[in-house]
């Protein structure tokens, strides 16, 4: 990828996406987030099971790694030539949920990629350093699964921040890097102190700042908030795989996405940037939305190497 590409979704929000926003507001999900964050921090949440339709459709293997499940999903009836390491979101305190599986299902359908999904440790039982130790120990298994095939590292929300931070760690330690990085609504500055977030918070129907900061405090441990391992926005962005960012403007971490784009632009590092006006946090995981279908098509093109 030698040039940057920017996409702004031109169509107005679909009826279903507006209905989702209304539903989020009426449900009080944003008001309830503080209580849910405390509960998640106090108790290790369990992963959502893989839906039965995916078990029937794909070759699925679940095994234990350091006491936590790791799933690999591959198309039936043939060897895939693409591999994805997917790091799920959940503010580092919550586990994989059903919409994550729906998104992964769509991506395998469209790309025929094989996907590894680790159930990495969560705060407060684990901190950033524990997660990095876990991933370091997991990588030999991942590379055996990859078997020299091209690979993408991808994550949403906290998993997006972790994907970018882990990519920097791999580079810093001379380890094999991915062919591309894809970040979905990434949380790139764990401090959530960007003043633009206060304005976005008025529109964001899902994420309030205070519970997000509670989760951040549980995850960082003794690592400074501006350390690249928790806030990859402030790390060294040079000599990393091509990065693609997907974001919606009704999402408080949209401010992080723009900060990253500005840094990449100022440092003359090519990037892909996809922005969806009035869309919310990790909207692409609601795979029935018109906007999600467009974004998933774009993500699939990237996995296939159409815009490297």
């Amino acid at each position: 990828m030698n040039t940057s590409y920017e996409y702004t979704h031109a169509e107005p929000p679909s009826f279903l996406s507006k209905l989702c926003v209304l539903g989020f507001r009426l449900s009080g999900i944003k008001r309830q987030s503080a209580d849910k964050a405390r509960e998640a921090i106090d108790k290790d949440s369990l992963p959502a099971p893989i839906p039965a339709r995916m078990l029937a459709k794909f070759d699925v293997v679940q095994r234990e790694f350091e006491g936590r499940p790791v799933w690999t999903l591959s198309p039936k009836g043939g060897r895939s030539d693409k591999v994805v390491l997917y790091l799920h979101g959940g503010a580092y305190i919550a586990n994989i949920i059903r919409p994550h599986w729906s998104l992964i299902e769509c991506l395998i359908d469209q790309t025929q990629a094989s996907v590894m999904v680790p159930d990495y440790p969560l705060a407060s039982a684990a901190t950033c350093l524990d997660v990095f130790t876990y991933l370091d120990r997991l990588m030999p298994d991942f590379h055996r699964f990859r078997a020299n095939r091209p690979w993408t590292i991808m994550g949403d929300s906290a998993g997006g921040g972790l994907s970018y931070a882990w990519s920097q760690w791999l580079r810093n330690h001379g380890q094999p890097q991915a062919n591309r990085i894809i970040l979905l609504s990434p949380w790139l500055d764990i401090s959530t102190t960007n003043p633009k977030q206060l304005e976005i918070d008025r529109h964001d129907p899902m994420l309030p700042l205070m519970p997000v900061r509670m989760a951040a405090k549980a995850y960082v441990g003794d690592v400074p908030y501006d350390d690249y391992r928790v806030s990859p926005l402030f790390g060294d962005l040079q000599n990393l795989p091509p990065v693609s960012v997907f974001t919606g403007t009704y999402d408080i971490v949209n401010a992080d996405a723009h900060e990253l784009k500005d840094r990449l632009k100022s440092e003359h590092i090519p990037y892909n940037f996809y922005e969806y006006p009035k869309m919310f946090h990790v909207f692409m995981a609601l795979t029935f939305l018109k906007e999600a279908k467009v974004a998933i098509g774009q993500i699939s093109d990237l996995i296939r190497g159409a815009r490297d």
Side-chain angles (χ1 to χ4, degrees):
M1 185 169 70
N2 297 317
T3 59
S4 296
Y5 172 78
E6 296 188 19
Y7 169 89
T8 301
H9 194 62
E11 295 185 22
S14 65
F15 172 77
L16 279 179
S17 71
K18 290 190 284 189
L19 197 62
C20 283
V21 170
L22 178 62
F24 292 145
R25 297 195 191 284
L26 292 177
S27 72
I29 186 174
K30 194 167 180 176
R31 295 190 303 274
Q32 299 165 15
S33 291
D35 291 337
K36 290 184 179 297
R38 291 189 190 95
E39 181 181 349
I41 291 168
D42 292 339
K43 181 180 178 181
D44 196 7
S45 64
L46 297 175
I50 298 179
R53 68 175 183 276
M54 294 178 67
L55 295 174
K57 184 188 296 187
F58 306 130
D59 288 330
V60 179
V61 176
Q62 177 180 327
R63 65 180 186 84
E64 295 294 310
F65 181 80
E66 299 199 349
R68 303 185 71 88
V70 174
W71 302 272
T72 55
L73 303 92
S74 300
K76 285 186 180 291
R79 175 182 166 87
S80 171
D81 64 351
K82 305 288 184 187
V83 178
V84 175
L85 177 62
Y86 192 95
L87 303 179
H88 69 81
Y92 299 114
I93 59 173
N95 218 312
I96 190 167
I97 58 176
R98 185 145 185 153
H100 290 125
W101 291 124
S102 296
L103 173 59
I104 291 166
E105 178 184 11
C106 289
L107 294 174
I108 298 175
D109 283 342
Q110 293 195 24
T111 67
Q112 296 299 293
S114 297
V115 183
M116 177 180 278
V117 185
D119 178 21
Y120 59 85
L122 301 172
S124 64
T127 67
C128 160
L129 297 182
D130 299 309
V131 174
F132 272 62
T133 297
Y134 170 90
L135 290 175
D136 185 33
R137 292 172 178 166
L138 178 67
M139 291 310 288
D141 282 20
F142 172 73
H143 289 304
R144 281 191 289 271
F145 169 70
R146 180 171 73 90
N148 295 317
R149 291 174 287 176
W151 65 291
T152 298
I153 186 168
M154 177 167 61
D156 67 278
S157 189
L162 181 56
S163 295
Y164 208 34
W166 185 242
S167 297
Q168 294 179 33
W169 190 96
L170 291 174
R171 178 206 56 207
N172 294 350
H173 290 82
Q175 300 297 313
Q177 295 194 63
N179 295 81
R180 64 193 62 82
I181 304 167
I182 301 177
L183 310 178
L184 313 179
S185 302
W187 187 15
L188 300 170
D189 174 5
I190 205 165
S191 73
T192 58
T193 54
N194 188 319
K196 294 179 182 177
Q197 290 177 322
L198 293 174
E199 174 62 24
I200 300 172
D201 184 52
R202 296 174 51 241
H203 303 288
D204 189 323
M206 295 176 61
L207 294 181
L209 288 170
M210 190 268 283
V212 172
R213 290 169 181 164
M214 290 168 53
K217 184 176 180 180
Y219 178 66
V220 297
D222 296 327
V223 174
Y225 276 63
D226 60 355
D227 188 295
Y228 81 90
R229 290 170 292 182
V230 293
S231 295
L233 177 63
F234 303 123
D236 178 2
L237 306 184
Q238 298 289 337
N239 302 311
L240 291 171
V243 61
S244 302
V245 181
F246 288 77
T247 184
T249 62
Y250 277 12
D251 179 0
I252 58 172
V253 296
N254 176 258
D256 290 1
H258 277 271
E259 286 288 324
L260 175 59
K261 183 182 75 168
D262 291 345
R263 267 205 65 190
L264 292 167
K265 187 179 294 187
S266 69
E267 296 183 27
H268 307 289
I269 301 171
Y271 58 86
N272 297 317
F273 191 85
Y274 301 80
E275 186 165 63
Y276 284 72
K278 298 186 178 180
M279 293 305 295
F280 44 85
H281 192 60
V282 198
F283 68 89
M284 60 290 294
L286 298 186
T287 57
F288 55 86
L289 294 178
K290 184 176 181 181
E291 294 86 353
K293 294 179 188 298
V294 175
I296 290 168
Q298 293 165 328
I299 296 164
S300 297
D301 283 345
L302 291 165
I303 292 172
R304 288 191 295 260
R307 188 177 290 280
D308 281 353

